[in-house]
Amino acid sequence: MEKMNMLEAICSRRSRRSYLDIPIEPDKMETLLILINRYNEEGNLSMQFVENGSNAFNGLKKSYGLFGHVRSIIMLKGKSDDPHVKEKCGYYGELIVLQATRMGLGTCWVGASFDRQSNIFNIPPDEEFVCVITIGHVAQESGFRENLIRKVVHGKAKPLEYFYTADSTPPQWFLEGIQSVQSAPSAVNRQKYHFYYKDGVVRARTNDNAPFGMVDLGIAKAHFSVIAGGSFDWGNDGCYMPA
């Protein structure tokens, strides 16, 4: 099978909550660890792969019954005095999610429905524990529970015009970036971020003050950057810089 590219990964990625009791292969594990180390250095983060994170999801009280057979997770965290730590976790975490999708692994962003007090987490006092990503092998087709949750949470996709404002007809690369943003995962499918094209300059911001608003902005910027080929400054109204 031809290797999936990043555009295909964006289009095919789905939040997967039910996992198979199969360990991640050593070569895929090595790729994930290389990516985590690279992005930790690049973003001054301390993301961590936990091979057995099931304890944080065991039992109905911890996961509200939304997850099944969770095996591995990625902890997303960084320095608590970094004003952009949540956005960075969203940005780099989603890059890992897309690479995992390319490798045939299932993933899901999880902000609240797990046990943050589990003994598998050891957070230094100077770090902020933002959220986790569940990761592992999944059935080829989503199960009934996953499809039901997706229908309830996501509903109908927001129109493309919801995501941007332009002072003139934007170029094709901008519209392609926005199409990828349309597919970005977001807490409870809020997607409360917006991209602006003005005088040929692209900026992105969110007015979402919810706990994961800046995480969502980071995820959206990652999608746009992957397709358009450049990068953003951190923060609200961060400017896009073409490659």
Side-chain angles (χ1 to χ4, degrees):
M1 181 182 296
E2 185 178 349
K3 190 174 182 180
M4 183 186 300
N5 62 36
M6 290 297 268
L7 175 58
E8 291 169 333
I10 286 174
C11 294
S12 63
R13 182 216 60 82
R14 298 289 184 273
S15 296
R16 302 301 303 269
R17 295 170 172 83
S18 295
Y19 294 87
L20 303 176
D21 191 20
I22 302 173
I24 298 173
E25 298 88 336
D27 60 328
K28 294 180 180 180
M29 183 90 75
E30 182 181 7
T31 298
L32 290 171
L33 294 176
I34 289 173
L35 286 174
I36 290 171
N37 289 334
R38 179 193 305 169
Y39 295 146
N40 277 341
E41 183 175 352
E42 187 175 318
N44 194 28
L45 296 171
S46 53
M47 298 183 293
Q48 183 179 343
F49 182 88
V50 180
E51 188 168 3
N52 185 4
S54 60
N55 185 59
F57 287 84
N58 286 337
L60 186 63
K61 291 182 179 179
K62 294 179 181 178
S63 70
Y64 308 112
L66 300 178
F67 291 86
H69 306 292
V70 171
R71 184 184 182 100
S72 299
I73 63 174
I74 300 173
M75 298 170 56
L76 303 181
K77 55 193 182 74
K79 294 297 183 182
S80 55
D81 60 357
D82 183 348
H84 305 302
V85 64
K86 289 185 176 181
E87 183 183 355
K88 288 179 179 179
C89 284
Y91 183 89
Y92 290 112
E94 184 64 6
L95 293 183
I96 295 171
V97 162
L98 294 176
Q99 291 290 357
T101 302
R102 295 181 69 189
M103 294 189 290
L105 298 173
T107 60
C108 186
W109 285 87
V110 191
S113 51
F114 68 99
D115 183 6
R116 285 179 172 266
Q117 305 306 315
S118 170
N119 57 16
I120 67 173
F121 303 127
N122 183 18
I123 312 300
D126 63 340
E127 288 189 350
E128 179 173 356
F129 180 17
V130 177
C131 58
V132 303
I133 296 169
T134 56
I135 184 168
H137 286 285
V138 293
Q140 188 171 0
E141 299 295 333
S142 302
F144 172 78
R145 178 174 57 180
E146 288 182 315
N147 288 330
L148 179 61
I149 293 171
R150 185 176 299 123
K151 184 177 181 180
V152 171
V153 173
H154 294 280
K156 189 176 181 181
K158 296 178 176 64
L160 206 64
E161 294 74 20
Y162 169 88
F163 296 99
Y164 77 93
T165 299
D167 65 350
S168 60
T169 302
Q172 185 64 26
W173 60 264
F174 175 85
L175 294 176
E176 290 174 354
I178 294 298
Q179 285 178 327
S180 71
V181 168
Q182 190 180 35
S183 301
S186 172
V188 203
N189 200 36
R190 293 167 66 89
Q191 293 185 303
K192 288 194 172 184
Y193 32 70
H194 204 75
F195 289 70
Y196 299 85
Y197 181 84
K198 184 177 181 181
D199 298 326
V201 177
V202 177
R203 297 183 183 276
R205 72 169 292 110
T206 180
N207 294 319
D208 190 352
N209 294 320
F212 300 104
M214 293 305 294
V215 176
D216 289 347
L217 179 62
I219 294 173
K221 284 183 176 180
H223 274 227
F224 189 99
S225 298
V226 162
I227 297 305
S231 60
F232 280 91
D233 290 330
W234 300 118
N236 265 328
D237 293 317
C239 184
Y240 174 74
M241 297 164 287

